[in-house]
C-alpha cells in the first residue's frame, strides 16, 4: 500500500481510503469482513459521516478493537435525528459526542464540516465548536468537506487541516485553482467520488439521480478509456484521481470485500502515465461547460 503525507498533520494515510456511505444497512458480518480485509492489506483511512445512517455504528462494531491501526474521519453539521437545527453549534457539539459513541472511540482523527455553505463558514460559530472539541481532545484535526465556492472559501480561511472535495475524470473544476491553494496552505486533500460513480457504463440515463450529471458529462467528454472493459476503465479513472497533484487519499465505498481488493490492485499499478493523464485533462479543458461545477 502506498502512503502519503496528509498535509501538515503528521499523519501518513493510505492512498486508497474506505468510504463509509455505502455500508449503511449492510449486515454487520459483511462489514467486519470488508473492513478487516482492508486493514489487513494496509488501508488506514476510514471516512464516514453522522448522516450516513448506521455507518458509524457499523464501523465501531466491526473494527473498534483495532483502533490503533486506522485513522477515522467523520463529518458533522446535519442534525440527523438530533433535536437542534442543522449548522447549530449545539448540533455540532452533540453530533461529535454521538459519533464518538457510535464509533466506540475516545477521539476521531478528523472531523469535517459536511458541505455547509459560505454563509455558515463566515458566521463562524460552527468552526468555534470544532475548535472547542479539539481542545477537549475529542478530535485531532479540523476539516471541511464540500465543493464549489464554499470549498475555496474554506481553504482561504486558513483554519482547516484538510479539504474533502470531488475529484475525478468528470469533475475537475477544483484542479486549476482550489487544489493549488490547498497545497499552499499545507492541507491534506481527500478525493471523493474518485471513480465518477462509474457513470460511463450506462447506455441510457441512469435511474439513480446521483449518477446522472456525471453520465451527461462523460457522454460529451467521450474518453477513449471508457470503451475498455469496466474493470480496466475503473483502474484508469482511479489512477487519474490519485495522479492529481495534491491528492492525499481517494475514498472509495463498496459493499463487496472483493471489490476492495480489486481497487487496491489498481493503486498498486502506480500513477497514470503522464501522456494519458494529460489527455484526460486536455479533453476536459476542451469540452467542459461553464456549469460543470463540483458535485456535492
Amino acid at each position: 500500500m502506498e502512503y502519503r503525507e496528509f498535509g501538515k498533520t503528521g499523519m501518513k494515510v493510505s492512498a486508497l481510503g474506505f468510504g463509509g456511505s455505502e455500508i449503511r444497512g449492510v449486515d454487520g458480518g459483511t462489514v467486519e469482513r470488508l473492513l478487516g480485509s482492508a486493514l489487513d492489506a494496509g488501508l488506514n483511512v476510514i471516512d464516514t459521516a453522522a448522516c450516513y445512517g448506521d455507518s458509524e455504528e457499523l464501523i465501531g462494531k466491526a473494527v473498534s478493537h483495532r483502533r490503533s491501526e486506522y485513522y477515522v474521519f467523520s463529518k458533522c453539521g446535519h442534525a440527523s435525528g438530533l433535536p437542534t437545527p442543522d449548522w447549530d453549534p449545539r448540533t455540532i457539539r452533540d453530533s461529535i459526542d454521538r459519533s464518538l459513541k457510535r464509533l466506540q472511540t475516545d477521539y476521531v482523527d478528523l472531523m469535517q464540516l459536511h458541505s455547509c455553505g459560505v454563509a455558515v463558514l463566515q458566521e463562524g460559530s460552527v468552526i468555534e465548536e470544532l475548535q472547542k472539541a479539539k481542545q477537549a481532545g475529542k478530535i485531532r484535526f479540523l476539516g471541511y468537506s464540500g465543493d464549489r465556492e464554499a470549498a475555496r472559501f474554506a481553504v482561504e480561511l486558513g483554519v482547516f487541516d484538510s479539504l474533502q472535495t470531488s475529484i475525478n475524470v468528470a469533475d475537475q473544476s477544483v484542479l486549476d485553482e482550489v487544489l493549488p491553494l490547498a497545497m499552499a496552505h499545507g492541507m491534506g486533500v481527500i478525493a471523493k467520488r474518485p471513480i465518477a460513480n462509474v457513470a460511463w457504463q450506462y447506455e441510457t440515463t441512469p435511474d439513480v439521480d446521483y449518477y446522472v450529471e456525471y453520465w451527461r458529462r462523460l457522454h460529451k467528454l467521450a474518453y477513449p478509456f471508457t470503451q475498455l472493459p469496466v474493470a480496466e476503465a475503473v483502474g484508469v479513472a482511479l489512477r487519474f484521481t490519485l495522479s492529481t497533484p495534491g491528492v492525499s487519499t481517494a475514498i472509495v465505498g463498496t459493499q463487496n470485500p472483493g471489490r476492495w481488493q480489486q481497487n487496491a490492485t489498481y493503486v498498486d499499478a502506480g500513477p497514470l502515465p503522464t501522456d494519458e493523464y494529460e489527455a484526460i485533462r486536455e479533453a476536459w479543458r476542451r469540452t467542459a461547460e461553464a456549469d460543470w461545477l463540483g458535485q456535492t
Side-chain angles (χ1 to χ4, degrees), residues 1-6 9-19 34-47 59 63 66-73 107 109-110 140 248-251 260:
M1 176 61 66
E2 177 191 354
Y3 298 92
R4 302 179 176 187
E5 296 288 345
F6 194 65
T9 66
M11 292 189 285
K12 283 196 172 183
V13 297
S14 50
L16 184 62
F18 181 82
L34 180 62
L35 291 177
S37 64
L39 294 179
D40 289 343
L43 179 148
N44 71 355
V45 171
I46 299 175
D47 180 85
I59 292 166
V63 293
R66 301 179 64 172
R67 182 66 181 86
S68 63
E69 299 179 45
Y70 61 91
Y71 299 118
V72 62
F73 299 169
Y107 68 95
D109 297 283
L110 178 71
R140 294 179 62 205
S248 309
T249 185
I251 300 299
W260 146 249

Side-chain angles (χ1 to χ4, degrees), residues 133-149:
K134 181 177 181 180
Q135 292 167 0
K138 296 178 181 180
I139 63 177
R140 294 179 62 205
F141 298 103
L142 285 58
Y144 176 78
S145 176
D147 301 272
R148 307 187 184 188
E149 68 278 0

Side-chain angles (χ1 to χ4, degrees), residues 128-202:
E128 292 175 5
E129 202 61 42
L130 280 184
Q131 292 169 330
K132 289 177 184 177
K134 181 177 181 180
Q135 292 167 0
K138 296 178 181 180
I139 63 177
R140 294 179 62 205
F141 298 103
L142 285 58
Y144 176 78
S145 176
D147 301 272
R148 307 187 184 188
E149 68 278 0
R152 181 180 183 120
F153 188 84
V155 171
E156 291 175 333
L157 276 177
V159 299
F160 294 106
D161 301 295
S162 70
L163 171 70
Q164 180 168 165
T165 195
S166 297
I167 302 171
N168 59 60
V169 294
D171 209 333
Q172 301 180 38
S173 61
V174 301
L175 269 59
D176 292 321
E177 296 184 6
V178 178
L179 281 196
L181 277 174
M183 292 172 66
H185 280 78
M187 299 173 73
V189 174
I190 305 163
K192 63 177 179 176
R193 293 181 165 188
I195 53 177
N197 303 126
V198 199
W200 64 82
Q201 68 181 311
Y202 299 96

Side-chain angles (χ1 to χ4, degrees), residues 12 16 32 38 49 56 64 100-101 115 177 180 190 230 289:
K12 283 196 172 183
L16 184 62
E32 188 172 353
E56 289 181 317
S64 61
L100 295 178
K101 182 177 181 180
S115 301
E177 296 184 6
I190 305 163
V230 173
E289 299 172 6

Side-chain angles (χ1 to χ4, degrees), residues 187-265:
M187 299 173 73
V189 174
I190 305 163
K192 63 177 179 176
R193 293 181 165 188
I195 53 177
N197 303 126
V198 199
W200 64 82
Q201 68 181 311
Y202 299 96
E203 293 184 6
T204 58
T205 306
D207 293 331
V208 181
D209 291 342
Y210 191 65
Y211 298 171
V212 171
E213 177 60 20
Y214 282 171
W215 178 84
R216 184 180 72 85
R217 295 181 187 185
L218 288 162
H219 183 74
K220 294 183 179 181
L221 287 160
Y223 294 126
F225 80 83
T226 60
Q227 301 306 308
L228 296 170
V230 173
E232 292 181 43
V234 168
V236 172
L238 182 58
R239 291 169 69 200
F240 170 84
T241 299
L242 286 171
S243 299
T244 298
V247 171
S248 309
T249 185
I251 300 299
V252 181
T254 181
Q255 298 180 7
N256 183 345
R259 188 73 49 76
W260 146 249
Q261 297 292 348
Q262 188 176 45
N263 289 336
T265 300

